[in-house]
Amino acid sequence: MLVKIGIPRALLYYHYFPLWECFWGHLGLEVITSPPTDKSVLDRGVIAAAPETCLPVKVYYGHVLALAKAVDYLFVPRIISAQKGTYICPKFMGLPNMIKHSGYDLPPLISPTLDTNRGKKSWQRAHIQAAQGLGYNKKKALTAWRYANYRLRLYREKLQQKRTPLEFLNHDHSLPRSFTSPTILLLGHPYNLFDEFTNMNLIRQLYQYGYQIITPEMLSPVIIEREATQLPKHLFWSLGRTILGTAFHCLKNSPVVGVIHLTSFGCGPDSLVGELLERRVNKLSNLPFLLLTLDEHTGEGGLITRLEAFLDMIEWRRSS
Amino acid sequence: MKITFPHMGYLNIPLRSFFNNLGQEVIEPPAINQHTINLGTRYAPEFACLPLKINIGNFIQAAELGANTIVMAGGIGPCRFGYYAQVQREILADLGINMDMIVLEPPQGGWKLLLRGLRRLTGKVSLLAIFEAGAIAWAKLKALDQLAQRVYSIRAQEISRGSTNRIWKQILTHIDGANDLKAVQKAADCGYALLQGIKTQPHKEMLKVGLVGEIYTVLEPAVNLGLEEVLGSMGVEVVRSIYLSEWVITNLVLHTFYLRDDREHYQLAAPYLDHFVGGHGIESISNTVKYARAGMDGVIHVAPLTCMPEIVAKTILPGVSLGENIPVLTLMLDEHSAEAGILTRLEAFCELLWQRKRMPKVRRQQNKTEMELSRGKLSVAGISGH
Ligand code: SF4
């Protein structure tokens, strides 16, 4: 029987799943993902996590618990940084410890420390060591890493062709695509943008209302980075850099008709990044701006009302 | 240039002395009051942490008094503090308050930035004068830190309630008024003498409780609702984990010269948290372990409500509490924290500590195993953080 490794469908799953799937798969493990977030996943996460924690981390707990009984190992990496001089978020830095001390019976965690600040090859080294820890030899792990990295590159290239992770991760091709409809700039962390349960199908709704979207994933990191360096001080959260860089670029170069910032209740970095974003959008443009804050109590009704008011505003501005 | 800076505990005393001795005019914000908090809450982002909000309140109030230059510290992440100044500047500018901001970035962010900031502050003053101003400010900070330590144990044993607080206020004024190193020394000596004179019950049984958490919340009584005083008046001796003078030495001096030694913290915390998480997250864990092993009765962990490093710590602390057999109470504070609610929780916590203290040792061990057995959703003997 194959050894089973579980990858929670939460947090940076949306950016790195192809990498991890290919890496562990190539080594011969069976990769198991938790089901898409639903009410029971969310509820279990909310109970398991500290009440002060942000929604995405609560959701992560829920996915961990959904996998706990079904796998031999849980893959809970400690992601410090994916870009030199930046961090993701302190909560990512303590995530494996938080999960381990949650008081639940869990399979052993595989928690490599991924930190680009410790050198370019840190991710590679950490993955290979993790594989060695499970008894795989270094050479095999290196080959697996190379394949995996290649897969990741392909994945990112595809996203840059204006596609969303939903197509590749959920194999969901039902989203209508049109290149002529007006574009809304949709900003936020990937786990807010692409978790269709917690954001109540925001992307689908926008498509149904006749808009297309542009998200940070659709731009080349080089462009984003170039714009982000214009900030008065080096911003040390990479997800925040991406949000602001994307906004600066799109406000200048693409014909967007409105900006949505999707954030989660109690998110630390976003509390400051969002503030800068809103002030900049108002200064650089006169586009309608909508801040949507998700938490476990967000009701679909409220979200739709706010969304519709926002879309009305867009139409009103466009026609006048 | 009329300089102001945010409040944090008694830091204003050494800071004001430093700038005054450099020949700068200082306009301090009024002591943090409800109005400060209201201003901050009104103009700062909703989910920003409490220190940022109160800083904003401080700055607006100082501007009303005529200050035109803000001196702030910077940072390199991952904690939000490192980006405060940039956000605060935009908020103030949009309010039409155009103050100059001098941000002192830590040397890890590059020496050039730090020196540039410092140079703007010192102007044409000679190096010797800067050094002297620094020495006096440093002496004040150290004296206050050491006296504060004494205050905690005396306050818990005082016979007439409030006598220690009165003396402490006098001490602050004396140190504040001292103009040179000798005078600081004299004021400090006088402070010790005054403390000595307070009538105490020397053999009173006391609880000893450690105070850990995020630096601003630990140091600023207006934010932690005067925790130290309240605990002292309940007969609890507080052991504070963070003293600014120590913080300056490890973070600014030793760190800069690669001499910083965090091995003890990392070792103590390792079974529970084995990676830096920003801010004081790892210290909250390691100090709790340290206090437990030193036989203290309990630990109180304080932080601003959305503080990321401390949320990590808070999540892990129940495990530490079980593993090290020490009760821990977490208080996450924001502008809505009500004194009454906190007071009730503190009283309940102390009640629990007294019960444990009076329980014979053997029973305490047993109790621990029982607690472990009944460990469903972690909460230690009925006390969890929220
Ligand atoms: S970045 Fe924000 S949402 Fe993401 S884990 Fe950190 S606090 Fe939570």
Side-chain angles (χ1 to χ4, degrees):
Chain A
M1 225 178 58
L2 291 180
V3 180
K4 293 188 190 118
I5 187 163
I7 299 184
R9 190 188 290 265
L11 295 180
L12 288 192
Y13 160 89
Y14 298 96
H15 274 180
Y16 294 110
F17 180 66
L19 175 86
W20 293 329
E21 181 190 36
C22 179
F23 181 72
W24 295 114
H26 195 87
L27 287 171
L29 281 85
E30 188 182 347
V31 175
I32 300 196
T33 355
S34 45
T37 314
D38 57 17
K39 179 129 186 4
S40 85
V41 168
L42 176 64
D43 286 350
R44 290 175 81 183
V46 168
I47 293 174
E52 293 82 2
T53 321
C54 53
L55 182 68
V57 170
K58 290 180 180 166
V59 170
Y60 194 88
Y61 271 79
H63 283 278
V64 163
L65 294 178
L67 284 169
K69 294 259 146 47
V71 298
D72 303 305
Y73 295 100
L74 263 174
F75 187 63
V76 183
R78 191 193 300 279
I79 308 180
I80 311 292
S81 143
Q83 180 192 358
K84 203 166 179 317
T86 67
Y87 300 93
I88 307 284
C89 167
K91 287 179 200 161
F92 279 76
M93 302 167 79
L95 195 61
N97 302 91
M98 290 162 74
I99 297 291
K100 201 149 74 198
H101 290 280
S102 59
Y104 290 87
D105 221 358
L106 297 175
L109 304 187
I110 310 280
S111 300
T113 299
L114 312 177
D115 183 359
T116 314
N117 294 323
R118 291 195 201 164
K120 248 196 181 143
K121 294 223 160 141
S122 151
W123 281 54
Q124 172 182 333
R125 226 179 310 129
H127 277 88
I128 291 177
Q129 270 167 13
Q132 282 177 305
L134 291 184
Y136 296 95
N137 79 34
K138 197 167 171 178
K139 218 165 127 216
K140 198 159 174 217
L142 185 63
T143 321
W145 172 256
R146 295 212 168 113
Y147 275 111
N149 222 349
Y150 178 65
R151 271 280 290 283
L152 181 66
R153 231 181 25 242
L154 288 184
Y155 173 63
R156 288 191 171 153
E157 277 165 13
K158 281 193 211 141
L159 293 183
Q160 284 174 33
Q161 293 157 6
K162 297 197 105 186
R163 288 148 173 268
T164 64
L166 301 175
E167 284 181 48
F168 305 105
L169 302 179
N170 299 5
H171 304 291
D172 176 353
H173 299 286
S174 62
L175 281 179
R177 268 160 31 103
S178 117
F179 293 108
T180 50
S181 22
T183 311
I184 287 179
L185 177 56
L186 180 57
L187 298 168
H189 299 178
Y191 37 86
N192 287 332
L193 299 185
F194 306 117
D195 187 327
E196 293 192 284
F197 181 79
T198 56
N199 71 21
M200 284 157 274
N201 288 311
L202 182 64
I203 295 182
R204 196 174 301 270
Q205 305 227 22
L206 287 171
Y207 277 114
Q208 275 161 6
Y209 281 108
Y211 296 87
Q212 57 172 327
I213 54 160
I214 180 161
T215 70
E217 286 72 21
M218 297 177 183
L219 290 185
S220 124
V222 184
I223 294 180
I224 294 179
E225 191 47 36
R226 195 173 56 218
E227 298 289 332
T229 45
Q230 295 171 9
L231 283 162
K233 172 182 178 178
H234 172 79
L235 184 67
F236 41 72
W237 301 298
S238 46
L239 297 176
R241 283 182 86 75
T242 315
I243 290 178
L244 289 172
T246 308
F248 295 163
H249 174 79
C250 292
L251 291 179
K252 275 190 289 187
N253 303 312
S254 353
V256 293
V257 296
V259 184
I260 299 181
H261 183 208
L262 188 62
T263 176
S264 25
F265 185 87
C267 170
D270 266 2
S271 67
L272 301 193
V273 170
E275 184 74 10
L276 291 176
L277 174 69
E278 189 166 349
R279 283 169 196 270
R280 291 299 165 97
V281 171
N282 291 336
K283 258 177 227 162
L284 295 174
S285 73
N286 59 353
L287 294 177
F289 180 90
L290 176 66
L291 171 68
L292 288 177
T293 308
L294 302 174
D295 71 9
E296 56 267 38
H297 314 297
T298 315
E300 189 158 357
L303 186 113
I304 291 185
T305 321
R306 298 197 52 210
L307 192 61
E308 282 180 346
F310 171 72
L311 297 177
D312 285 346
M313 178 86 138
I314 290 183
E315 288 315 314
W316 182 74
R317 292 245 175 118
R318 285 182 67 210
S319 61
S320 63
Chain B
M1 193 154 75
K2 293 177 180 156
I3 292 184
T4 193
F5 42 76
H7 273 299
M8 179 162 87
Y10 43 73
L11 179 64
N12 59 325
I13 293 177
L15 272 187
R16 175 154 29 78
S17 145
F18 180 67
F19 295 130
N20 280 338
N21 285 333
L22 289 178
Q24 303 281 15
E25 188 181 341
V26 173
I27 296 187
E28 233 173 68
I32 300 171
N33 50 33
Q34 193 54 43
H35 186 52
T36 322
I37 300 181
N38 293 346
L39 282 173
T41 316
R42 170 131 31 104
Y43 297 116
E46 185 184 353
F47 296 119
C49 36
L50 194 54
L52 183 143
K53 295 183 182 177
I54 295 182
N55 283 178
I56 290 274
N58 282 156
F59 297 153
I60 296 179
Q61 285 183 312
E64 283 165 1
L65 297 177
N68 60 15
T69 307
I70 296 170
V71 181
M72 260 297 274
I76 53 165
C79 152
R80 272 176 280 185
F81 182 71
Y83 226 73
Y84 270 23
Q86 280 61 36
V87 176
Q88 289 166 341
R89 181 180 301 153
E90 300 219 358
I91 295 175
L92 291 175
D94 286 355
L95 283 175
I97 303 176
N98 283 308
M99 292 168 95
D100 223 353
M101 254 198 175
I102 300 182
V103 185
L104 301 177
E105 294 292 344
Q108 299 91 286
W111 277 100
K112 265 223 322 266
L113 280 176
L114 176 64
L115 289 180
R116 202 190 303 154
L118 277 177
R119 211 55 218 168
R120 284 189 58 198
L121 275 178
T122 54
K124 295 215 161 42
V125 178
S126 75
L127 269 179
L128 184 67
I130 298 176
F131 182 78
E132 267 174 16
I136 296 175
W138 176 247
K140 289 189 176 186
L141 180 60
K142 267 209 90 128
L144 285 173
D145 276 354
Q146 279 160 1
L147 283 156
Q149 230 157 334
R150 296 275 302 139
V151 163
Y152 294 139
S153 74
I154 293 177
R155 191 186 277 136
Q157 305 170 56
E158 67 187 4
I159 290 174
S160 118
R161 281 276 156 259
S163 46
T164 320
N165 286 350
R166 273 195 300 280
I167 300 284
W168 175 237
K169 291 222 175 77
Q170 285 180 26
I171 293 178
L172 289 176
T173 333
H174 288 169
I175 299 268
D176 196 17
N179 285 327
D180 53 36
L181 284 177
K182 262 218 197 89
V184 176
Q185 186 57 48
K186 231 176 98 193
D189 290 342
C190 164
Y192 285 113
L194 283 172
L195 287 176
Q196 211 74 58
I198 297 176
K199 286 214 182 61
T200 57
Q201 276 175 287
H203 298 298
K204 189 178 161 196
E205 217 191 346
M206 290 189 297
L207 288 174
K208 208 166 172 181
V209 167
L211 184 59
V212 305
E214 184 271 339
I215 183 165
Y216 186 84
T217 328
V218 169
L219 296 183
E220 179 50 61
V223 173
N224 64 32
L225 307 169
L227 207 60
E228 295 162 353
E229 265 183 56
V230 174
L231 285 168
S233 69
M234 292 176 177
V236 177
E237 179 178 356
V238 177
V239 176
R240 193 165 95 191
S241 61
I242 304 173
Y243 282 93
L244 247 187
S245 51
E246 284 169 21
W247 184 89
V248 168
I249 292 198
T250 42
N251 285 273
L252 297 184
V253 184
L254 295 181
H255 195 130
T256 309
F257 299 109
Y258 301 101
L259 290 171
R260 178 176 180 163
D261 187 1
D262 279 332
R263 266 173 297 179
E264 195 203 339
H265 281 300
Y266 277 89
Q267 250 166 34
L268 286 173
Y272 306 99
L273 175 61
D274 51 1
H275 199 283
F276 162 76
V277 292
H280 285 78
I282 208 161
E283 282 91 342
S284 291
I285 304 286
S286 63
N287 283 323
T288 303
V289 174
K290 189 164 97 188
Y291 293 157
R293 297 197 182 154
M296 289 177 34
D297 299 302
V299 166
I300 295 181
H301 171 229
V302 292
L305 185 61
T306 58
C307 174
M308 302 170 281
E310 299 301 339
I311 286 179
V312 175
K314 190 210 152 170
T315 310
I316 296 169
L317 276 171
V320 182
S321 173
L322 275 179
E324 305 291 329
N325 193 19
I326 187 166
V328 178
L329 172 70
T330 294
L331 299 172
M332 298 209 98
L333 304 162
D334 69 357
E335 59 270 24
H336 309 298
S337 307
E339 212 152 331
I342 301 282
L343 201 65
T344 333
R345 292 179 61 197
L346 284 178
E347 275 165 358
F349 185 65
C350 290
E351 190 54 38
L352 171 95
L353 297 189
W354 276 119
Q355 275 174 19
R356 275 175 52 101
K357 200 177 175 85
R358 299 200 172 116
M359 219 189 272
K361 267 242 156 58
V362 204
R363 282 276 312 284
R364 249 196 270 170
Q365 275 307 323
Q366 220 175 14
N367 209 30
K368 180 187 166 199
T369 9
E370 271 166 26
M371 264 160 34
E372 263 165 6
L373 285 177
S374 65
R375 172 187 192 184
K377 166 92 173 69
L378 277 178
S379 85
V380 178
I383 299 232
S384 79
H386 218 71

